[in-house]
């Protein structure tokens, strides 16, 4: 009998912000992931990278300005670097936790590229802020390069990039091979590296893919049974941050879509999670998506916590 598969999408809380925080958070997160593996699940892990890719982008660009012979780094390169160093901490933490339990499995981080549509409307309306706040002079330099910049009152300026929808996963065959061999894979980190085809080559796009949409696509492609999106809250709620706020334990596809149509979810936070969950569930049989916090991950699998969409 084939093992059940789960894609676990880690949010910011599961990773921390700086290097020491990330290392400590990875150890804590690894215990939860190991619990699923010990229970017989085949696990694919994906993760956010917003603080990390911003830090790398800032560091590389500032270094390039201060030293002759060096240049700034494009977003695609910064995304690749963030996948590598987040994956490094995660795979070592998961490996160590499994070995403590007498489970000997390999954990591999796969630098993952994500095909995007060059005509995606998101490229015309960049919205994702990256890097540190800029001065007016620095903002002007970015605009002269053809980059988009927005002003944040009282704080300065920030570069903003597009967030196109993922179309396909370039490395999906090797990801499937790792899963089929019953090993653990970390893939599509930070939404994957956005790329576009140019002949035989893949060219990095100046964009950041929403990691929850990437997690949903990964879950569909490996035919997972469960998509679990871990975030900072225990449940999805209706009427968020109002006197009528209501935690939601279970949603049908229709109920979830109705809430989307009502504008219940913020486009920058919960909406991509709900949309990715709905898309995953409706394109397979017997699937379910769960949105919850890291601390409620195990209990949510049995419907005792979190929000389940099925």
């Amino acid at each position: 009998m084939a093992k059940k598969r789960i894609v676990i999408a880690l949010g910011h809380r599961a990773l921390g912000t700086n290097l020491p925080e990330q290392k400590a958070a990875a150890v804590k997160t690894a215990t939860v992931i190991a619990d699923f593996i010990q229970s017989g699940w085949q696990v694919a892990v994906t993760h956010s990278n917003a603080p990390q890719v911003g830090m790398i982008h800032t560091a590389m660009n500032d270094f390039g300005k201060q030293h002759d012979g060096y240049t700034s780094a494009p977003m695609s390169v910064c995304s690749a670097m963030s996948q590598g160093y987040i994956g490094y901490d995660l795979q070592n933490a998961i490996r160590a936790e499994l070995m403590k339990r007498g489970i000997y499995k390999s954990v591999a981080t796969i630098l993952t590229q994500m095909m995007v549509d060059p005509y995606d409307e998101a490229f015309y309306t960049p919205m994702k802020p990256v890097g540190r706040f800029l001065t007016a002079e620095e903002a002007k330099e970015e605009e002269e390069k053809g980059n988009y910049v927005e002003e944040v009152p009282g704080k300065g300026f920030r570069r903003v990039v597009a967030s196109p929808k993922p179309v396909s996963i370039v490395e999906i065959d090797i990801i499937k091979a790792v899963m089929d061999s019953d090993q653990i894979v970390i893939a599509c980190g930070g939404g994957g590296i956005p790329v576009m085809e140019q002949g035989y080559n893949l060219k990095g796009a100046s964009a950041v893919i929403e990691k929850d949409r990437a997690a949903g696509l990964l879950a569909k492609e490996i035919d997972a049974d469960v998509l679990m999106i871990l975030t900072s809250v225990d449940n999805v709620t209706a009427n968020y941050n109002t006197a009528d706020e209501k935690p939601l334990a279970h949603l049908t596809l229709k109920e979830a879509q109705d809430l989307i149509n009502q504008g219940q979810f913020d486009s920058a936070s919960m909406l991509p999670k709900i949309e990715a969950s709905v898309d995953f569930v409706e394109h397979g049989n017997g699937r379910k998506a769960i949105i919850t916090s890291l601390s409620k991950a195990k209990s949510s699998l049995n419907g005792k916590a979190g929000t389940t969409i099925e």
Side-chain angles (χ1 to χ4, degrees):
M1 182 177 178
K3 287 188 175 183
K4 288 194 172 184
R5 289 184 173 179
I6 184 170
V7 170
I8 301 176
L10 304 174
H12 166 60
R13 292 289 181 88
L15 292 173
T17 300
N18 55 42
L19 272 68
E21 280 185 10
Q22 179 178 296
K23 196 171 186 66
V27 171
K28 180 180 178 181
T29 299
T31 63
V32 175
I33 294 171
D35 286 340
F36 284 95
I37 297 166
Q38 191 167 25
S39 297
W41 287 85
Q42 287 185 335
V43 176
V45 179
T46 187
H47 57 79
S48 67
N49 73 339
Q52 291 86 351
V53 77
M55 177 179 62
I56 292 169
H57 182 261
T58 297
M60 295 296 290
N61 287 357
D62 286 355
F63 187 85
K65 289 178 181 178
Q66 295 171 21
H67 297 82
D68 292 337
Y70 292 90
T71 63
S72 59
M75 283 304 301
S76 55
V77 172
C78 295
S79 178
M81 294 173 74
S82 73
Q83 282 193 39
Y85 104 81
I86 294 171
Y88 166 70
D89 276 346
L90 274 176
Q91 69 184 37
N92 284 342
I94 296 169
R95 176 182 178 274
E97 183 62 32
L98 291 177
M99 290 184 71
K100 288 178 188 176
R101 305 182 188 202
I103 301 171
Y104 299 96
K105 289 181 180 289
S106 296
V107 188
T109 297
I110 297 176
L111 291 186
T112 315
Q113 300 175 97
M114 196 74 71
M115 294 292 297
V116 297
D117 181 354
Y119 301 105
D120 191 306
E121 291 185 1
F123 284 111
Y124 303 101
T125 54
M127 296 176 61
K128 282 276 188 180
V130 294
R132 62 173 174 81
F133 286 101
L134 308 171
T135 65
E137 184 179 349
E138 290 172 326
K140 184 178 179 182
E141 290 178 4
E142 288 295 328
E143 290 180 326
E144 288 173 350
K145 296 176 187 175
N147 296 325
Y148 290 87
V149 175
E150 67 176 7
E151 183 174 4
V152 182
K155 293 185 177 181
F157 299 82
R158 293 190 82 176
R159 182 181 170 193
V160 291
V161 297
S163 183
K165 291 181 180 180
V167 175
S168 62
I169 302 169
V170 176
E171 289 78 16
I172 190 60
D173 289 338
I174 188 63
I175 292 170
K176 287 180 178 178
V178 174
M179 295 295 292
D180 289 343
S181 64
D182 199 23
Q183 307 303 304
I184 299 98
V185 66
I186 301 166
C188 301
I193 305 162
V195 295
M196 297 178 283
E197 280 187 308
Q198 288 193 344
Y200 292 109
N201 298 314
L202 296 176
K203 180 183 179 181
S206 182
V208 173
I209 295 171
E210 172 56 57
K211 60 96 178 170
D212 296 314
R213 299 190 194 281
L217 180 58
L218 173 63
K220 284 198 300 183
E221 289 292 322
I222 66 170
D223 195 21
D225 299 278
V226 176
L227 167 63
M228 181 175 286
I229 298 176
L230 302 181
T231 186
S232 59
V233 294
D234 294 341
N235 290 80
V236 177
T237 60
N239 308 313
Y240 178 68
N241 210 22
T242 71
D244 298 322
E245 185 171 334
K246 177 186 176 183
L248 303 169
H250 185 273
L251 292 171
T252 63
L253 286 175
K254 183 180 184 307
E255 289 169 338
Q257 190 60 57
D258 286 345
L259 290 170
I260 291 172
N261 294 340
Q262 293 168 21
Q264 284 276 350
F265 307 118
D266 182 58
S267 61
S269 56
M270 189 56 72
L271 181 60
K273 296 172 175 56
I274 301 294
E275 289 181 335
S277 297
V278 168
D279 184 60
F280 166 69
V281 172
E282 70 182 1
H283 282 91
N285 296 319
R287 293 175 172 177
K288 65 180 178 181
I290 298 169
I291 301 173
T292 191
S293 61
L294 180 68
S295 63
K296 302 291 185 182
K298 290 182 288 184
S299 54
S300 69
L301 197 59
N302 300 316
K304 296 179 180 179
T307 300
T308 300
I309 301 173
E310 61 184 344

